[in-house]
Amino acid sequence: QFNSQGLGLWRAADSGSDFGLVFPFQVSTLADLAGNWNFVGYDRENTTSNPMFDFGKAEIKTDGSWTHNNCPTTNGAPACEGFKAEATSFTVAGGKFSNADGHGYLYKAANGTKMYVQSFGNEKGFAIGAQPYAMGLPTVGHTSNFWDVWGNFSSVNPLEARSGSVQSVDAVANSYTRSDGQVRLINKPAEGMSYRAQTADRGAVVYLHAKDLITVYGREKKDSASFVGFSISK
């Protein structure tokens, strides 16, 4: 299923755990990749360890050099490490970016939003980057219609059409409540992200938003229930 910006979601037709993103190939340069980024990663140390969904920030220079930090969160507040310079830089050849951690591709949608996707290889996971932006609170009654799929390294839920509406907005808390009862804090743990606090029956969830392109989300914990999901507008 594709959205109007040329980004699609797919899921294997069999009972396996394969699912992911598809988008047109573009020949990009280091200058296209330069800037500030929020990153989320879904990865594991090896093929038998529990995976983890985490988030961090990066600044990439036009020469391919970059700095980054990791930002574990507590109740939506990041505890970011100091930025550290990476020993190896990004390089690019024919639109394929490389660094010490793996290979990736940049996609710039028609609306100007950029997304960077990198695989760590050896079935260890991936990272997705989006440029930060100040999100605004939605209006009460706003309804969204979207395609959604989520899973982990061993199973995947169906790729399905879903919808939801905004029931109420709290401008003081910078949050809104959805029709399914979920309360989302916006611009937490960083601008261009949102956060759903832990409840009695489920862990906290972090959402990365590439503006009007895709939302990538996952459970903020390293355990067997960790997962990653993707949503795109219909």
Side-chain angles (χ1 to χ4, degrees):
Q1 303 293 341
F2 284 83
N3 64 14
S4 62
Q5 298 302 314
L7 178 68
L9 304 181
W10 65 270
R11 179 192 186 278
D14 59 24
S15 58
S17 60
D18 293 335
F19 68 108
L21 311 178
V22 60
F23 50 89
F25 171 75
Q26 297 172 334
V27 178
S28 303
T29 67
L30 288 174
D32 295 320
L33 188 64
N36 294 314
W37 294 85
N38 293 329
F39 276 95
V40 292
Y42 188 69
D43 56 84
R44 54 186 177 178
E45 296 169 357
N46 53 60
T47 57
T48 59
S49 62
N50 284 330
M52 181 175 184
F53 185 91
D54 52 9
F55 120 82
K57 302 178 182 180
E59 181 182 11
I60 302 172
K61 303 292 188 180
T62 55
D63 63 358
S65 62
W66 60 301
T67 59
H68 92 284
N69 60 9
N70 293 319
C71 300
T73 65
T74 302
N75 296 326
C80 297
E81 302 170 354
F83 276 90
K84 62 179 182 180
E86 289 296 317
T88 59
S89 298
F90 280 92
T91 60
V92 63
K96 180 181 180 180
F97 293 88
S98 301
N99 59 30
D101 296 319
H103 306 287
Y105 295 90
L106 179 70
Y107 179 58
K108 183 177 180 180
N111 64 3
T113 298
K114 293 180 181 180
M115 174 189 69
Y116 179 71
V117 181
Q118 177 164 307
S119 171
F120 296 141
N122 298 322
E123 300 182 20
K124 291 184 178 179
F126 61 87
I128 295 181
Q131 295 182 309
Y133 69 99
M135 298 175 64
L137 285 168
T139 57
V140 174
H142 172 76
T143 299
S144 56
N145 298 290
F146 54 94
W147 294 104
D148 182 82
V149 63
W150 62 275
N152 53 34
F153 284 102
S154 60
S155 65
V156 57
N157 276 24
L159 172 56
E160 58 185 358
R162 300 180 62 189
S163 65
S165 61
V166 177
Q167 297 294 96
S168 63
V169 170
D170 186 334
V172 176
N174 219 23
S175 69
Y176 65 95
T177 302
R178 301 188 348 155
S179 53
D180 57 7
Q182 292 183 15
V183 178
R184 303 271 185 92
L185 294 166
I186 68 167
N187 297 315
K188 294 278 188 177
E191 284 196 340
M193 302 186 74
S194 57
Y195 188 85
R196 188 178 81 200
Q198 180 174 337
T199 62
D201 61 344
R202 62 181 63 185
V205 177
V206 175
Y207 301 80
L208 172 74
H209 306 282
K211 188 176 183 181
D212 299 324
L213 181 62
I214 189 173
T215 295
V216 184
Y217 61 95
R219 185 170 183 263
E220 183 204 1
K221 198 168 185 180
K222 182 179 181 179
D223 61 19
S224 59
S226 181
F227 66 86
V228 63
F230 309 116
S231 292
I232 59 173
S233 296
K234 292 183 65 177

